[in-house]
Short mmCIF file of all heavy atoms in Angstrom, two decimals:
data_model
loop_
_atom_site.label_atom_id
_atom_site.label_comp_id
_atom_site.label_asym_id
_atom_site.label_seq_id
_atom_site.Cartn_x
_atom_site.Cartn_y
_atom_site.Cartn_z
N GLU A 186 -10.14 10.49 -6.28
CA GLU A 186 -11.41 10.45 -7.02
C GLU A 186 -12.44 9.59 -6.30
O GLU A 186 -13.62 9.94 -6.23
CB GLU A 186 -11.18 9.95 -8.44
CG GLU A 186 -10.40 10.95 -9.29
CD GLU A 186 -10.07 10.43 -10.68
OE1 GLU A 186 -10.40 9.27 -11.01
OE2 GLU A 186 -9.46 11.20 -11.44
N LEU A 187 -12.01 8.46 -5.74
CA LEU A 187 -12.92 7.59 -5.00
C LEU A 187 -13.49 8.30 -3.77
O LEU A 187 -14.66 8.14 -3.45
CB LEU A 187 -12.20 6.30 -4.58
CG LEU A 187 -12.01 5.26 -5.68
CD1 LEU A 187 -10.97 4.23 -5.27
CD2 LEU A 187 -13.33 4.60 -6.03
N LYS A 188 -12.66 9.09 -3.11
CA LYS A 188 -13.11 9.80 -1.91
C LYS A 188 -14.17 10.86 -2.23
O LYS A 188 -14.93 11.24 -1.34
CB LYS A 188 -11.92 10.45 -1.20
CG LYS A 188 -11.07 9.44 -0.45
CD LYS A 188 -9.93 10.14 0.27
CE LYS A 188 -9.24 9.22 1.23
NZ LYS A 188 -8.20 9.92 2.00
N LYS A 189 -14.23 11.30 -3.46
CA LYS A 189 -15.24 12.29 -3.86
C LYS A 189 -16.56 11.63 -4.23
O LYS A 189 -17.56 12.32 -4.40
CB LYS A 189 -14.72 13.11 -5.05
CG LYS A 189 -13.58 14.03 -4.70
CD LYS A 189 -13.09 14.77 -5.93
CE LYS A 189 -11.86 15.60 -5.60
NZ LYS A 189 -11.28 16.20 -6.81
N LEU A 190 -16.54 10.32 -4.41
CA LEU A 190 -17.74 9.59 -4.82
C LEU A 190 -18.36 8.85 -3.63
O LEU A 190 -17.68 8.52 -2.67
CB LEU A 190 -17.38 8.55 -5.89
CG LEU A 190 -16.80 9.07 -7.20
CD1 LEU A 190 -16.32 7.90 -8.05
CD2 LEU A 190 -17.83 9.89 -7.96
N LYS A 191 -19.62 8.58 -3.75
CA LYS A 191 -20.30 7.70 -2.80
C LYS A 191 -20.12 6.28 -3.31
O LYS A 191 -20.14 6.05 -4.54
CB LYS A 191 -21.80 8.05 -2.74
CG LYS A 191 -22.09 9.46 -2.31
CD LYS A 191 -22.33 9.50 -0.82
CE LYS A 191 -22.78 10.87 -0.37
NZ LYS A 191 -21.76 11.59 0.34
N PRO A 192 -19.97 5.31 -2.41
CA PRO A 192 -19.80 3.92 -2.87
C PRO A 192 -20.93 3.41 -3.77
O PRO A 192 -20.72 2.52 -4.57
CB PRO A 192 -19.74 3.12 -1.56
CG PRO A 192 -19.20 4.10 -0.57
CD PRO A 192 -19.80 5.43 -0.97
N LYS A 193 -22.12 4.01 -3.66
CA LYS A 193 -23.24 3.59 -4.51
C LYS A 193 -23.17 4.20 -5.91
O LYS A 193 -23.89 3.77 -6.81
CB LYS A 193 -24.57 3.96 -3.84
CG LYS A 193 -24.84 3.16 -2.58
CD LYS A 193 -26.21 3.47 -2.03
CE LYS A 193 -26.47 2.91 -0.67
NZ LYS A 193 -26.31 1.50 -0.49
N ASP A 194 -22.31 5.21 -6.11
CA ASP A 194 -22.15 5.84 -7.42
C ASP A 194 -21.65 4.78 -8.42
O ASP A 194 -20.77 3.99 -8.10
CB ASP A 194 -21.13 6.98 -7.30
CG ASP A 194 -21.03 7.82 -8.55
OD1 ASP A 194 -20.85 7.24 -9.65
OD2 ASP A 194 -21.12 9.05 -8.44
N GLU A 195 -22.21 4.78 -9.62
CA GLU A 195 -21.84 3.76 -10.61
C GLU A 195 -20.36 3.83 -11.00
O GLU A 195 -19.77 2.82 -11.36
CB GLU A 195 -22.73 3.85 -11.85
CG GLU A 195 -22.59 5.14 -12.62
CD GLU A 195 -23.55 5.22 -13.80
OE1 GLU A 195 -24.73 4.89 -13.61
OE2 GLU A 195 -23.10 5.63 -14.88
N LYS A 196 -19.75 5.00 -10.90
CA LYS A 196 -18.33 5.14 -11.24
C LYS A 196 -17.42 4.56 -10.13
O LYS A 196 -16.27 4.21 -10.39
CB LYS A 196 -17.96 6.61 -11.44
CG LYS A 196 -18.52 7.22 -12.70
CD LYS A 196 -18.04 8.65 -12.81
CE LYS A 196 -18.60 9.32 -14.04
NZ LYS A 196 -18.15 10.71 -14.12
N PHE A 197 -17.92 4.50 -8.91
CA PHE A 197 -17.11 4.06 -7.78
C PHE A 197 -16.58 2.64 -8.02
O PHE A 197 -15.39 2.39 -7.87
CB PHE A 197 -17.91 4.11 -6.47
CG PHE A 197 -17.08 3.83 -5.24
CD1 PHE A 197 -16.51 4.87 -4.54
CD2 PHE A 197 -16.86 2.53 -4.80
CE1 PHE A 197 -15.73 4.63 -3.41
CE2 PHE A 197 -16.08 2.28 -3.68
CZ PHE A 197 -15.52 3.33 -2.98
N HIS A 198 -17.47 1.73 -8.37
CA HIS A 198 -17.07 0.33 -8.57
C HIS A 198 -16.01 0.22 -9.67
O HIS A 198 -15.01 -0.47 -9.50
CB HIS A 198 -18.29 -0.53 -8.91
CG HIS A 198 -17.95 -1.97 -9.13
ND1 HIS A 198 -17.63 -2.84 -8.12
CD2 HIS A 198 -17.85 -2.68 -10.28
CE1 HIS A 198 -17.36 -4.03 -8.61
NE2 HIS A 198 -17.48 -3.96 -9.93
N ALA A 199 -16.22 0.92 -10.77
CA ALA A 199 -15.27 0.88 -11.88
C ALA A 199 -13.90 1.42 -11.44
O ALA A 199 -12.86 0.82 -11.73
CB ALA A 199 -15.79 1.67 -13.07
N LYS A 200 -13.89 2.54 -10.74
CA LYS A 200 -12.63 3.12 -10.27
C LYS A 200 -11.93 2.21 -9.27
O LYS A 200 -10.71 2.07 -9.28
CB LYS A 200 -12.85 4.50 -9.65
CG LYS A 200 -13.03 5.60 -10.64
CD LYS A 200 -13.08 6.96 -9.97
CE LYS A 200 -13.50 8.03 -10.93
NZ LYS A 200 -12.61 8.23 -12.06
N PHE A 201 -12.72 1.60 -8.39
CA PHE A 201 -12.11 0.72 -7.39
C PHE A 201 -11.51 -0.51 -8.07
O PHE A 201 -10.43 -0.96 -7.67
CB PHE A 201 -13.14 0.31 -6.33
CG PHE A 201 -12.49 -0.33 -5.13
CD1 PHE A 201 -11.84 0.45 -4.17
CD2 PHE A 201 -12.51 -1.70 -4.96
CE1 PHE A 201 -11.22 -0.13 -3.08
CE2 PHE A 201 -11.89 -2.29 -3.87
CZ PHE A 201 -11.24 -1.52 -2.92
N CYS A 202 -12.15 -1.01 -9.12
CA CYS A 202 -11.61 -2.15 -9.86
C CYS A 202 -10.32 -1.77 -10.59
O CYS A 202 -9.37 -2.56 -10.63
CB CYS A 202 -12.65 -2.71 -10.83
SG CYS A 202 -13.99 -3.54 -9.96
N VAL A 203 -10.27 -0.57 -11.15
CA VAL A 203 -9.04 -0.10 -11.79
C VAL A 203 -7.93 0.05 -10.74
O VAL A 203 -6.78 -0.35 -10.97
CB VAL A 203 -9.28 1.23 -12.55
CG1 VAL A 203 -7.97 1.85 -13.01
CG2 VAL A 203 -10.21 1.00 -13.73
N LEU A 204 -8.28 0.57 -9.58
CA LEU A 204 -7.31 0.68 -8.49
C LEU A 204 -6.77 -0.70 -8.12
O LEU A 204 -5.56 -0.88 -7.96
CB LEU A 204 -7.97 1.34 -7.27
CG LEU A 204 -7.11 1.45 -6.01
CD1 LEU A 204 -5.93 2.40 -6.23
CD2 LEU A 204 -7.96 1.92 -4.83
N SER A 205 -7.66 -1.67 -8.03
CA SER A 205 -7.27 -3.03 -7.70
C SER A 205 -6.25 -3.57 -8.71
O SER A 205 -5.21 -4.13 -8.33
CB SER A 205 -8.51 -3.93 -7.67
OG SER A 205 -8.16 -5.28 -7.55
N GLU A 206 -6.54 -3.41 -9.99
CA GLU A 206 -5.64 -3.92 -11.03
C GLU A 206 -4.29 -3.21 -10.99
O GLU A 206 -3.24 -3.84 -11.13
CB GLU A 206 -6.28 -3.77 -12.42
CG GLU A 206 -7.48 -4.67 -12.63
CD GLU A 206 -7.17 -6.14 -12.39
OE1 GLU A 206 -6.14 -6.63 -12.90
OE2 GLU A 206 -7.96 -6.81 -11.70
N LEU A 207 -4.31 -1.91 -10.81
CA LEU A 207 -3.08 -1.13 -10.73
C LEU A 207 -2.22 -1.58 -9.54
O LEU A 207 -1.02 -1.81 -9.67
CB LEU A 207 -3.39 0.37 -10.62
CG LEU A 207 -2.20 1.31 -10.41
CD1 LEU A 207 -1.21 1.23 -11.56
CD2 LEU A 207 -2.70 2.73 -10.21
N VAL A 208 -2.85 -1.72 -8.39
CA VAL A 208 -2.12 -2.10 -7.18
C VAL A 208 -1.57 -3.52 -7.31
O VAL A 208 -0.43 -3.78 -6.95
CB VAL A 208 -3.01 -1.93 -5.92
CG1 VAL A 208 -2.37 -2.57 -4.71
CG2 VAL A 208 -3.28 -0.45 -5.66
N LYS A 209 -2.37 -4.43 -7.85
CA LYS A 209 -1.89 -5.81 -8.03
C LYS A 209 -0.67 -5.86 -8.95
O LYS A 209 0.29 -6.58 -8.70
CB LYS A 209 -3.00 -6.71 -8.56
CG LYS A 209 -4.07 -7.02 -7.53
CD LYS A 209 -5.12 -7.93 -8.16
CE LYS A 209 -6.45 -7.76 -7.53
NZ LYS A 209 -7.53 -8.45 -8.26
N HIS A 210 -0.72 -5.09 -10.04
CA HIS A 210 0.42 -5.01 -10.96
C HIS A 210 1.65 -4.43 -10.24
O HIS A 210 2.76 -4.96 -10.37
CB HIS A 210 0.06 -4.14 -12.17
CG HIS A 210 1.23 -3.76 -13.00
ND1 HIS A 210 1.81 -4.62 -13.90
CD2 HIS A 210 1.96 -2.61 -13.04
CE1 HIS A 210 2.85 -4.01 -14.47
NE2 HIS A 210 2.95 -2.79 -13.98
N HIS A 211 1.44 -3.39 -9.48
CA HIS A 211 2.51 -2.74 -8.73
C HIS A 211 3.15 -3.72 -7.74
O HIS A 211 4.37 -3.80 -7.63
CB HIS A 211 1.95 -1.50 -8.01
CG HIS A 211 2.95 -0.77 -7.19
ND1 HIS A 211 3.94 0.02 -7.74
CD2 HIS A 211 3.11 -0.70 -5.85
CE1 HIS A 211 4.66 0.54 -6.76
NE2 HIS A 211 4.18 0.12 -5.61
N ILE A 212 2.32 -4.45 -7.03
CA ILE A 212 2.81 -5.44 -6.05
C ILE A 212 3.65 -6.50 -6.75
O ILE A 212 4.73 -6.88 -6.28
CB ILE A 212 1.63 -6.08 -5.29
CG1 ILE A 212 1.01 -5.07 -4.32
CG2 ILE A 212 2.08 -7.34 -4.55
CD1 ILE A 212 -0.31 -5.52 -3.70
#
Side-chain angles (χ1 to χ4, degrees):
E186 291 176 358
L187 283 164
K188 285 181 168 184
K189 291 178 185 174
L190 298 172
K191 300 266 186 253
K193 292 185 190 303
D194 188 308
E195 64 184 45
K196 289 182 181 179
F197 187 93
H198 180 74
K200 282 187 190 298
F201 193 77
C202 290
V203 170
L204 177 66
S205 171
E206 292 304 313
L207 175 61
V208 169
K209 287 181 208 170
H210 167 78
H211 179 74
I212 288 170

